């Protein structure tokens, strides 16, 4: 289990939630104890408040996500200003392209995949709702970072790093800035197997004044929320379909519901 900042009991409780959420079926107490490297009594101690507050339920097979979890997701959507309209548009984009569609946002130094058409049961899909740790290697991350003032972009990369995920990942600051210039110049971002060799993604930042300037002339103060719309498809299909995918993304942008800037 990788170290997590904060009190150990809190970190362990969060690991319990992550393990249960990522599992395909209920998780038994013994399996949680093995994952945490702790005694069964510790598992029962950690899960008791999670059960009481509705974050977990206990079934005959083990622990499963509780009724409080959907409320957290709705709160997450609400704080990003999302309603039914965003999900409907992502669905239309999915049907038009045959590619999974995503809404991603930058806010307060974090990039998050807010919503996606990819099935939650598809554990092999590389872009799932939640924090995006590979933003510099994804099209949606590039589109968002290109929209930021350079001081905020540099701060983000300094804090999150530029890890190499495939041989195609850009890991140098100078080359990445050249990529940002290219994204702004062409109006869209592409990642061909940079985060996962099997997938290529295309993205556009949604228009709005919240991002400030991305050309290095902004002062980096208060970028608010920046939003992006993207799709992913198997890299093997990208070459013959990139034109139609780009056109579908361009058509979808004006239809995206108005989103908050802060």
């Amino acid at each position: 289990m990788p170290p997590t900042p904060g009190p150990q009991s809190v970190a362990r409780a969060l690991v319990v939630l992550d393990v249960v959420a990522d599992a395909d079926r209920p998780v038994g107490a013994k399996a949680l104890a093995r994952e945490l490297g702790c005694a069964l009594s510790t598992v029962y101690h950690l899960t008791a408040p999670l059960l009481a507050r509705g974050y977990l339920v206990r079934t005959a097979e083990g622990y499963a996500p509780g009724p409080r979890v959907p409320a957290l997701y709705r709160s997450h959507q609400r704080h990003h200003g999302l309603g039914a309209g965003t999900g409907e548009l992502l669905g239309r984009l999915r049907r038009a392209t045959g590619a999974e569609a995503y809404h991603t946002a930058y806010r307060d130094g974090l990039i998050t995949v807010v919503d996606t058409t990819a099935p939650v049961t598809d554990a092999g899909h590389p872009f799932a709702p939640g924090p995006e740790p590979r933003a510099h290697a994804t099209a949606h991350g590039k589109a968002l970072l290109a929209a930021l003032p350079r001081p905020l972009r540099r701060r983000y990369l300094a804090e999150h790093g530029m890890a190499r995920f495939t041989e195609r990942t850009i890991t140098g600051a100078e080359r990445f800035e050249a990529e940002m210039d290219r994204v702004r110049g062409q109006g869209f971002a592409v990642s061909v197997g940079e985060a996962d060799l099997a997938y290529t993604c295309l993205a556009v930042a949604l228009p709005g004044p919240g991002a400030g300037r991305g050309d290095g002339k902004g002062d980096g103060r208060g970028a608010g929320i920046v939003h992006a719309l993207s799709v992913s498809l198997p890299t093997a299909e990208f070459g013959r379909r990139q034109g139609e995918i780009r056109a579908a993304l361009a058509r979808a942008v004006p239809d995206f519901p108005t989103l908050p800037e802060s």
Side-chain angles (χ1 to χ4, degrees), residues 89-90 92-94 96-104 139-140 143 187-191 200-207 227-233 238 241-256:
L89 184 137
L90 291 178
R92 291 199 301 272
L93 184 57
R94 170 69 176 82
T97 61
E100 303 297 355
Y102 313 84
H103 169 217
T104 314
H140 47 259
F188 62 92
V190 182
S191 169
T200 287
C201 48
L202 295 84
V204 291
L206 297 172
H227 302 271
L229 186 62
S230 63
V231 296
S232 72
L233 67 162
F238 173 66
R241 300 195 60 212
Q242 59 176 310
E244 66 175 278
I245 296 289
R246 283 171 48 194
L249 269 175
R251 290 193 300 270
V253 169
D255 293 333
F256 211 86

Side-chain angles (χ1 to χ4, degrees), residues 83-178:
T86 56
E88 292 171 0
L89 184 137
L90 291 178
R92 291 199 301 272
L93 184 57
R94 170 69 176 82
R95 291 188 293 273
T97 61
E100 303 297 355
Y102 313 84
H103 169 217
T104 314
Y106 167 94
R107 183 177 187 176
D108 299 328
L110 295 175
I111 289 177
T112 304
V113 178
V114 181
D115 201 4
T116 172
T117 59
V120 295
T121 54
D122 185 358
H125 197 78
F127 310 119
E132 176 54 273
R134 303 170 297 174
H136 65 288
T138 68
H140 47 259
K142 289 181 186 180
L144 293 169
L145 290 169
L148 295 178
R150 183 175 293 180
L152 283 183
R153 182 166 58 251
R154 287 179 171 175
R155 186 185 310 164
Y156 179 92
L157 294 173
E159 291 177 354
H160 297 272
M162 300 180 71
R164 183 178 299 280
F165 300 108
T166 76
E167 63 267 27
R168 297 178 177 177
T169 308
I170 298 174
T171 58
E174 186 174 340
R175 186 180 167 200
F176 193 76
E177 278 303 315

Side-chain angles (χ1 to χ4, degrees), residues 21-89:
D22 291 342
D24 295 330
R25 55 186 301 123
V27 182
K30 290 182 180 180
L32 288 173
R34 287 194 298 271
E35 181 71 27
L36 292 166
C38 67
L40 271 175
S41 59
T42 301
V43 171
Y44 297 136
H45 175 74
L46 293 170
T47 56
L50 297 174
L51 290 166
R53 292 176 177 270
Y55 294 103
L56 293 178
V57 292
R58 193 171 186 180
T59 72
E61 296 180 81
Y63 297 98
R68 177 65 180 150
V69 174
L72 288 178
Y73 180 69
R74 289 193 296 271
S75 175
H76 170 69
Q77 299 282 82
R78 186 174 66 253
H79 279 275
H80 281 84
L82 302 183
T86 56
E88 292 171 0
L89 184 137

